[in-house]
């Protein structure tokens, strides 16, 4: 029992009988502990109290929340950064550093890290003399600021290289990827790694050991001095790290090189000087448009996490799914089943084809047991999960399921038949969803007696990597169904966007103009490689013609038919795609499409341009136009924007921010541009209208929508 205790709004200060003091943080009103203004105020007040005496023998920092040390700084604080003057941001960094430096005063401090210890949370822990992490799988230590276009500004770039060496420090801070407790111990980031129940005792022991020797004094000396690193080592690190970063970011993100420079420059000088360098670099990054874009992307993601997917009336308490099932063990069904198992659900998987079913199981278990921190599948976890995956060849096995996702072949008659069978197999209140890419939900719902409990749940390939899920409302779908499916998608770690039933839903509809325009440009004689290079230069992970080859031209042809039937005035079915299909050029899977590949499949390399492509294109050639790389980019991305404006105008989505999340998470639209509408804002509506003018003769697809013209006239913005 503590000898005395004092409560602050976010922390408790307890003086123990042995003379040590424990500061235990619980930040109310947040799911995880985050560093709010109140936390900083309380920490300052607690340190003032300690300074008044009696002097503690040692200080232990810990969280009163299981599985959450500090998940980072409060987003609302970060969000204001791009709006503040640079000098003010620098001052905020300095103030945080000064406060953290007071943790290790006349006494040794140790942090007990159980759960997320990220960003400012890790910087807080680094400001302590010693650290104990737990072996629990929920424990992760990292500096994710780079993902927001920032660098650690509370001493992370100063203390980390002094503790673990500049190379590992650069890797940790520039990748933003966290490590678990054991990996943190191997790096030297923590001094001990023990099970959660032994952590506090371990911290006390560390304090006792440090009191007996000069460990803390030596460490403080090392933390204050420059890092011993000779010129050759520094130059080698600078060159190799810079090359790796360029490869990862294409030079589009200023934070990773700034982290490298700050760590290297800060390592060469005393810590006090390094701290000043860090504050300056942080303030400069916070003022960049890239940081503003990445903060926006983060913010709209957070908003999505809180969005129940329906209006307040339907949002009351979404039903919690406990027994999900999947029908169809193909590429998609297997991915969905793995996501479900991984999220902790005992899952039923049905496929009529026993061989396909059996073949899918090892991959599902491997994926479900994948450990992101060790980047390996955990065999023990896979074994444990095997007992939670029930497989069957008959739909009767779904009897106990409360949500079944149908993911069989994309054939309307087959889907309708399977959906009707699912409805007969499950309880009257179970929810039924379809992972269709192109079928109208209203059409599939015709097969069901109770369409209110039916909706689309459109995942993207590969399910393990693609976080977007379109939740599609049919005309009869109830609010309760949508809310339950949205909540379930979030429990699978996905980002669900609610979309009204209409051809192409949201993602394929905004993708199609981009793909279509690329094909038209090929017909005008522009090299596929040039079009793809321009798209990648814009920041897309791959160009539209590379994407065609990856999706498969047969699949794209079919999806294109659905869209051209619906929006024929702007998306005509191009004759080029069926000509490629007829020639057996389906893309990567056949070794040739717009490009020729060495081999087949997702890993096959492009072997160069292809005479046959040119021959087929010549048959459907269009008159050439004068084209610059700028026009190519305008022709790819402006029709995408126009379609997104129509989607919003027609109420297909409830909010423009959903479109931005969808294009980023499903199409790889570059996050550094903040989303389609944030990019549009960076150009301004009036300029967009001007840039569409020379393209107007291409047809309706390049004509500004009424809404765009209205925004341009009013000088308004797309993201407001
Ligand atoms: P797939 O061909 O890999 O798998 C389909 C599976 O369904 C097969 O294992 C088959 O045996 C099974 N099946 C067929 N009839 C069945 C029945 N009556 N009962 C139970 N199982 C049956 O297909 P996929 O690529 O996984 O696609 C599945 C669905 O997902 C399709 O609707 C597709 O449009 C959609 N989709 C696919 C992708 C993609 O990129 N592949 C992306 C998004 C959505």
């Amino acid at each position: 029992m503590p000898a005395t205790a004092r409560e602050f709004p976010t922390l408790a200060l307890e003086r123990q009988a042995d003379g040590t003091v424990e500061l235990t943080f619980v930040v109310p009103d947040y799911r995880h502990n985050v560093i709010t203004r109140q936390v900083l105020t309380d920490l300052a007040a607690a340190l003032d109290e300690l300074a008044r005496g009696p002097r503690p023998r040692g200080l232990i920092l810990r969280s009163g929340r299981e599985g959450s040390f500090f998940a980072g700084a409060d987003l609302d604080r970060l969000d204001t950064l791009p709006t503040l003057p640079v000098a003010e941001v620098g001052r905020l960094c300095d103030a945080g550093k000064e406060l953290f430096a007071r943790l290790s005063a006349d006494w040794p401090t140790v942090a007990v890290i159980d759960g997320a210890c990220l960003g400012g949370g890790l910087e807080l822990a680094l400001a302590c003399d010693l650290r104990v992490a737990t072996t629990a799988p929920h424990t992760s230590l990292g500096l994710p600021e780079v993902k927001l276009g920032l660098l650690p500004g509370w001493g992370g770039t100063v203390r980390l290289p002094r503790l673990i060496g500049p190379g590992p420090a650069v890797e940790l801070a520039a990748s933003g990827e966290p490590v678990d407790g054991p990996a943190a111990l191997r790096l030297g980031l923590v001094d001990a790694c023990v099970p959660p129940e032994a952590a506090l005792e371990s911290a006390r022991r560390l304090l006792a050991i440090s009191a007996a020797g000069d460990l803390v004094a030596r460490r403080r000396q090392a933390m204050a001095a420059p890092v011993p690193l000779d010129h050759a080592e520094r130059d080698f690190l600078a060159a190799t790290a810079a090359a790796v970063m360029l490869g990862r970011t294409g030079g589009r993100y200023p934070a990773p090189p700034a982290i490298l420079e700050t760590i290297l420059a800060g390592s060469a000088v005393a810590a006090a000087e390094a701290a000043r360098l860090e504050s300056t670099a942080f303030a400069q990054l916070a003022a960049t448009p890239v940081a503003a874009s990445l903060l926006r992307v983060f913010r709209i993601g957070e908003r999505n996490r809180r969005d129940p997917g329906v209006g307040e009336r339907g949002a009351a308490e979404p039903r919690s799914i406990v027994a999900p099932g999947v029908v169809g063990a193909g590429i998609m069904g297997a991915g969905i089943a793995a996501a479900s198992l991984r999220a902790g659900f005992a899952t039923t998987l049905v496929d009529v084809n026993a061989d396909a079913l059996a073949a899918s199981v090892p991959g599902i278990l491997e994926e479900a047991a994948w450990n992101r921190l060790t980047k390996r599948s955990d065999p023990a976890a896979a074994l444990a999960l095997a007992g939670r995956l029930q497989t069957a060849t008959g739909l009767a096995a779904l009897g106990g399921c409360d949500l079944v996702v149908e993911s069989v072949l994309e054939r309307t008659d087959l889907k309708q038949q399977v959906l009707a069978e699912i409805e007969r197999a499950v309880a009257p209140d179970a929810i039924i969803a379809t992972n269709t890419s192109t079928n109208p939900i209203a059409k599939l719902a015709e097969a069901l007696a109770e369409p209110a409990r039916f909706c689309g749940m459109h995942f993207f390939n590969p399910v393990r990597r693609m976080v977007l899920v379109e939740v599609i409302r049919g005309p009869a779908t109830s609010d309760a169904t949508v809310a339950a499916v949205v909540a379930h998608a979030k429990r699978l770690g996905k980002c669900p966007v609610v979309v009204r039933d209409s051809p192409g839903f949201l993602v394929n509809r905004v993708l199609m103009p981009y793909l279509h325009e690329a094909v038209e440009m090929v017909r005008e004689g522009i090299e596929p490689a040039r079009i793809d290079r321009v798209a990648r230069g814009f920041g897309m992970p791959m160009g539209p013609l590379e994407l065609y080859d990856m999706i498969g031209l047969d699949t794209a042809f079919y999806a294109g038919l659905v869209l051209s039937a619906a929006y024929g005035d702007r998306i005509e079915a191009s004759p080029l795609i069926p000509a490629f299909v007829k020639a057996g050029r389906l893309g990567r899977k056949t070794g040739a499409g717009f490009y020729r590949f060495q081999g087949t499949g997702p890993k096959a390399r492009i072997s160069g341009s292809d005479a046959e492509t040119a021959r087929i294109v010549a048959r459907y050639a269009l008159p050439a136009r004068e084209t610059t790389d700028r026009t190519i980019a305008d022709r790819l991305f402006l029709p995408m924007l126009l379609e997104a404006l129509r989607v919003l105008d027609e109420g297909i989505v409830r909010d423009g921010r959903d479109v931005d999340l969808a294009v980023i998470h499903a199409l790889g639209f570059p996050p550094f541009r903040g989303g389609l509408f944030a990019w549009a804002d960076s150009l301004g509506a009036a300029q967009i209208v001007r840039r569409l003018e020379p393209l107007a003769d291409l047809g309706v697809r390049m004509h500004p929508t009424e809404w765009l013209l209205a925004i341009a006239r009013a000088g308004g913005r797309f993201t407001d």
Side-chain angles (χ1 to χ4, degrees):
M1 282 296 287
T4 59
R6 170 96 202 273
E7 295 285 335
F8 297 84
T10 62
L11 71 89
L13 182 158
E14 295 173 344
R15 288 185 182 275
Q16 307 294 331
D18 65 359
T20 58
V21 169
E22 289 178 19
L23 292 186
T24 307
F25 292 87
V26 175
V27 185
D29 305 325
Y30 286 82
R31 223 159 21 108
H32 296 287
N33 277 352
V34 289
I35 302 182
T36 58
R37 193 177 296 272
Q38 188 66 48
V39 168
L40 297 176
T41 306
D42 292 348
L43 179 60
L47 292 171
D48 287 346
E49 176 155 334
L50 294 185
R52 283 194 292 273
R55 186 179 76 84
R57 267 192 344 105
L59 179 62
I60 296 178
L61 245 69
R62 64 189 180 107
S63 164
R65 252 203 183 120
E66 200 193 323
S68 168
F69 179 71
F70 271 104
D74 181 16
L75 178 64
D76 291 341
R77 280 175 67 80
L78 289 176
D79 233 9
T80 56
L81 290 177
T83 63
L84 298 177
V86 171
E88 171 68 16
V89 175
R91 268 195 298 278
L92 284 174
C93 289
D94 290 342
K97 278 190 270 249
E98 280 158 25
L99 173 61
F100 285 9
R102 290 173 56 202
L103 278 168
S104 318
D106 298 348
W107 54 76
T109 58
V110 53
V112 178
I113 301 166
D114 181 47
C117 174
L118 303 171
L122 180 55
E123 294 182 288
L124 179 70
L126 283 169
C128 299
D129 295 298
L130 303 157
R131 284 151 294 280
V132 177
T134 74
T135 49
H138 59 223
T139 293
S140 63
L141 300 90
L143 294 169
E145 289 85 349
V146 66
K147 296 185 177 175
L148 300 177
L150 301 170
L151 53 71
W154 281 337
T157 71
V158 181
R159 293 194 173 92
L160 198 58
R162 285 164 172 77
L163 192 64
I164 67 174
V170 167
E171 175 55 28
L172 207 67
S175 72
E177 293 302 320
V179 294
D180 61 7
L185 183 63
R186 285 195 296 278
L187 278 172
L189 185 53
V190 298
D191 301 280
C193 181
V194 297
E197 59 280 9
L200 188 55
E201 195 40 48
S202 171
R204 288 180 181 139
R205 239 188 352 261
L206 267 178
L207 280 183
I209 294 167
S210 70
D214 62 353
L215 169 69
V216 166
R218 274 188 291 118
R219 187 167 275 179
R220 286 187 184 183
Q221 242 172 21
M223 294 301 269
V227 184
L229 193 69
D230 67 31
H231 280 301
E233 283 174 300
R234 186 167 296 133
D235 291 349
F236 179 73
L237 176 60
T240 50
V244 170
M245 282 170 194
L246 193 64
R248 277 188 199 154
T249 65
R252 299 305 205 141
Y253 294 84
I259 287 169
L260 174 63
E261 272 169 39
T262 308
I263 287 182
L264 287 180
S267 296
V269 295
E273 175 60 15
R276 278 191 288 278
L277 294 176
E278 181 189 82
S279 294
T280 307
F282 183 96
Q284 282 166 353
L285 277 182
T288 59
V290 173
S293 291
L294 294 179
L295 280 164
R296 172 171 194 267
V297 173
F298 188 69
R299 192 170 60 237
I300 60 180
E302 287 297 302
R303 174 192 160 275
N304 179 273
R305 263 185 271 288
R306 287 190 298 270
D307 178 7
V310 289
E312 272 168 29
R313 198 168 36 91
E317 231 342 283
R319 169 166 174 200
S320 204
I321 299 301
V322 292
V326 179
V327 180
I331 305 172
M332 296 303 289
I336 299 166
S340 173
L341 271 184
R342 191 178 170 82
F345 295 99
T347 304
T348 307
L349 176 64
V350 176
D351 197 300
V352 277
N353 181 336
D355 292 341
L357 191 59
S360 71
V361 171
I364 292 174
L365 295 178
E366 188 181 321
E367 200 173 306
W370 187 260
N371 183 328
R372 287 204 181 104
L373 297 178
T374 61
K375 300 204 170 40
R376 252 180 267 130
S377 189
D378 177 346
L383 204 62
L385 287 170
R388 297 177 63 77
L389 176 66
Q390 190 202 345
T391 56
T393 51
L395 294 169
L398 299 167
C401 291
D402 49 8
L403 166 67
V404 176
V405 182
E406 168 278 310
S407 188
V408 302
L409 307 178
E410 187 70 7
R411 254 180 39 210
T412 312
D413 58 338
L414 177 70
K415 283 201 182 279
Q416 284 189 326
Q417 177 206 323
V418 171
L419 286 166
E421 280 178 44
I422 294 172
E423 190 175 41
R424 284 194 289 278
V426 296
D429 62 346
I431 294 173
I432 304 171
T434 173
N435 176 38
T436 183
S437 320
T438 52
N439 279 286
I441 301 307
K443 179 88 192 146
L444 296 179
E446 287 168 7
L448 297 176
E450 288 284 346
R453 56 157 152 171
F454 174 62
C455 68
M457 193 175 189
H458 185 204
F459 289 83
F460 292 82
N461 187 15
V463 177
R464 75 171 181 286
R465 258 206 333 207
M466 305 295 282
V467 297
L468 195 84
V469 172
E470 289 179 310
V471 175
I472 306 136
R473 274 197 96 111
T477 307
S478 70
D479 277 352
T481 299
V482 172
V485 171
V486 162
H488 186 65
K490 288 179 189 168
R491 288 179 71 192
L492 300 186
K494 301 297 177 193
C495 167
V497 167
V498 178
V499 183
R500 236 183 51 205
D501 192 15
S502 75
F505 311 132
L506 166 61
V507 170
N508 285 342
R509 182 163 165 191
V510 295
L511 172 66
M512 199 43 79
Y514 165 82
L515 291 181
H516 177 255
E517 205 58 35
V519 174
E520 295 300 281
M521 287 192 274
V522 170
R523 291 174 67 194
E524 290 165 23
I526 306 173
E527 281 291 314
R530 180 174 174 200
I531 299 168
D532 284 341
R533 183 173 45 73
V534 170
R536 272 187 266 106
F538 182 87
M540 298 298 281
M542 68 172 76
L545 301 156
E546 294 166 312
L547 184 60
Y548 260 115
D549 279 352
M550 199 188 77
I551 301 171
L553 274 80
D554 48 344
T555 307
F557 171 63
Y558 183 67
L561 278 186
V562 173
L563 287 158
S564 59
Y567 315 111
D569 60 335
R570 37 186 205 276
I571 302 169
E572 292 164 45
S574 168
L576 198 54
I577 303 297
F580 271 78
V581 173
K582 213 162 144 202
R585 299 178 67 102
L586 305 185
R588 286 181 169 273
K589 58 187 168 189
T590 56
F594 281 98
Y595 296 95
R596 183 165 287 285
F597 296 89
Q598 288 167 1
T600 56
K603 297 223 167 92
R605 290 166 67 93
I606 292 177
S607 66
S609 63
D610 189 328
E612 199 187 347
T613 304
R615 264 198 305 281
I616 300 175
V617 169
R619 267 188 265 146
Y620 302 98
L622 292 172
R625 299 167 64 93
E626 203 183 308
T627 312
T628 63
D629 283 0
R630 231 281 295 277
T631 354
I632 294 177
D634 282 357
R635 285 184 65 179
L636 290 174
F637 296 103
L638 292 179
M640 195 188 236
L641 174 68
L642 292 175
E643 202 59 37
L645 287 170
R646 290 187 195 97
V647 159
L648 260 189
D649 211 17
E650 292 168 23
I652 302 296
V653 290
R654 294 163 307 139
D655 193 300
R657 288 170 287 193
D658 286 344
V659 175
D660 279 338
L661 278 180
V663 295
I664 289 169
H665 290 311
L667 305 181
F669 191 89
F672 70 82
R673 295 193 187 275
L676 195 54
F677 290 128
W679 168 67
D681 271 340
S682 74
L683 298 178
Q687 198 196 147
I688 291 170
V689 172
R690 269 198 304 281
R691 277 159 75 157
L692 284 168
E693 273 162 18
L695 305 173
D697 63 307
L698 286 168
V700 181
R701 66 183 197 269
M702 294 295 174
H703 294 178
T705 65
E706 280 306 315
W707 195 19
L708 170 60
L709 291 171
I711 298 175
R713 273 195 303 273
R717 290 168 58 83
F718 297 91
T719 54
D720 288 341

